[in-house]
Amino acid sequence: MNKTGQLTIFVIVAIFIIGSVLLYFAFQSGLIQQPLNPDAERIYNFVQTCIEEESIETIYQIGQNGGYSFPTNLSLDSGVAIYYENGQNYIPSKEQIEDEISFFLNQKLFFCTRNFVDFSDLEISQNEIKTRTTIEDEKVVLNVNYPITIIKDEDKTLIEDFKFEVPIRLGIVYDSVEEFMQTQTESEGICLSCMLEISERNDLYVDMMDYDEQTTIFVFRDENSRIKDETFAWVFANKYSVENE
């Protein structure tokens, strides 16, 4: 064999080895997904549907609760979160809200899957659900790690990584509310012109209603964030001293 032929074989072998290594790491990193068997795909689709339905419901509920999964000690009797009282601003941080969404979704997913009782033909085990939530301007991204092992006969499959993006402008709504709350701390009262400027700039609607003589409830509504014809709303309350009304 001449040297040219030997070099060609060497190059082909090298390309094959490099390609095999790259494919291995691609599979390991999840860049290339191995096809699921039909039983694992059934479970994957079932869990993905749960994630999508519960994510949407969770974010809407978080909005109604002013960023919390459940009413806190600093809430009205109706459950609405208080953001301002005695000159103090109590709006939760964006990171706190992300944690609340993750916690609430984890609880709801466990009940949604119902321990997989509808799949009696399979042996299924599950581990702790861990969700990472990221609030962006135009959407909320949920990365759910839900390790599930599916066994049938000799086949054993692990699925664990799920993702869903909810098309709600939560980042824009939150930033608008936060900006408005900064004006409350500075002015010790409702800055109507500030509220109007912020809402118009971000294409939002704001409703106000008196809860009692000191307390006003605010509802920041985003008509651009509608799922199944339901407008997304962020609800909170501020308490003002009577003399400043």
Side-chain angles (χ1 to χ4, degrees):
M1 182 179 294
N2 59 39
K3 291 184 178 180
T4 302
Q6 290 178 329
L7 180 60
T8 301
I9 294 174
F10 175 79
V11 170
I12 292 172
V13 171
I15 292 174
F16 175 79
I17 293 173
I18 293 172
S20 299
V21 171
L22 291 175
L23 281 173
Y24 172 79
F25 284 108
F27 277 115
Q28 292 297 312
S29 63
L31 295 176
I32 299 178
Q33 297 293 331
Q34 300 185 48
L36 297 174
N37 64 53
D39 291 317
E41 188 170 6
R42 284 166 57 205
I43 300 301
Y44 183 92
N45 292 337
F46 171 69
V47 174
Q48 183 67 30
T49 299
C50 266
I51 290 172
E52 293 178 9
E53 293 176 351
E54 298 299 340
S55 294
I56 294 169
E57 183 177 312
T58 294
I59 292 171
Y60 272 89
Q61 289 179 328
I62 288 285
Q64 290 294 325
N65 292 337
Y68 300 100
S69 49
F70 300 100
T72 67
N73 293 332
L74 194 64
S75 300
L76 302 178
D77 291 339
S78 62
V80 175
I82 297 172
Y83 278 7
Y84 182 78
E85 185 176 23
N86 297 323
Q88 296 296 314
N89 189 336
Y90 296 104
I91 181 174
S93 68
K94 191 175 292 186
E95 291 73 21
Q96 284 178 285
I97 296 168
E98 289 173 339
D99 290 342
E100 287 286 318
I101 293 173
S102 296
F103 171 79
F104 203 14
L105 180 59
N106 291 343
Q107 311 308 309
K108 291 167 72 68
L109 283 179
F110 179 79
F111 290 103
C112 181
T113 56
R114 298 187 303 129
N115 206 30
F116 301 97
V117 294
D118 294 330
F119 301 90
S120 56
D121 59 318
L122 304 174
E123 180 183 343
I124 298 174
S125 61
Q126 54 187 316
N127 290 323
E128 182 183 4
I129 305 170
K130 296 179 180 179
T131 300
R132 186 177 76 256
T133 301
T134 304
I135 296 174
E136 299 183 6
D137 284 351
E138 304 280 346
K139 62 187 177 182
V140 181
V141 181
L142 300 117
N143 288 281
V144 182
N145 181 256
Y146 191 175
I148 303 166
T149 302
I150 304 113
I151 300 175
K152 185 175 182 181
D153 300 327
E154 300 300 319
D155 290 330
K156 181 177 181 180
T157 306
L158 171 67
I159 57 176
E160 57 181 337
D161 293 319
F162 303 83
K163 182 177 181 179
F164 184 53
E165 297 181 356
V166 183
I168 287 178
R169 301 194 310 157
L170 184 50
I172 290 175
V173 173
Y174 176 83
D175 290 344
S176 301
V177 173
E178 184 181 42
E179 184 179 352
F180 171 66
M181 287 306 302
Q182 290 172 355
T183 70
Q184 304 308 284
T185 302
E186 294 165 359
S187 66
E188 288 283 338
I190 302 174
C191 178
L192 294 176
S193 61
C194 301
M195 184 173 66
L196 181 61
E197 190 275 328
I198 293 168
S199 61
E200 287 185 345
R201 174 168 21 99
N202 295 305
D203 197 13
L204 300 172
Y205 296 88
V206 182
D207 299 322
M208 297 170 49
M209 60 198 79
D210 291 333
Y211 181 78
D212 56 34
E213 65 177 8
Q214 289 184 296
T215 309
T216 301
I217 294 176
F218 298 88
V219 181
F220 277 60
R221 295 184 292 110
D222 183 17
E223 293 291 343
N224 298 290
S225 297
R226 296 174 64 89
I227 299 177
K228 297 181 180 178
D229 292 327
E230 183 178 356
T231 301
F232 179 72
W234 195 268
V235 186
F236 62 95
N238 288 348
K239 284 193 171 187
Y240 304 100
S241 56
V242 175
E243 61 268 24
N244 288 320
E245 291 188 339

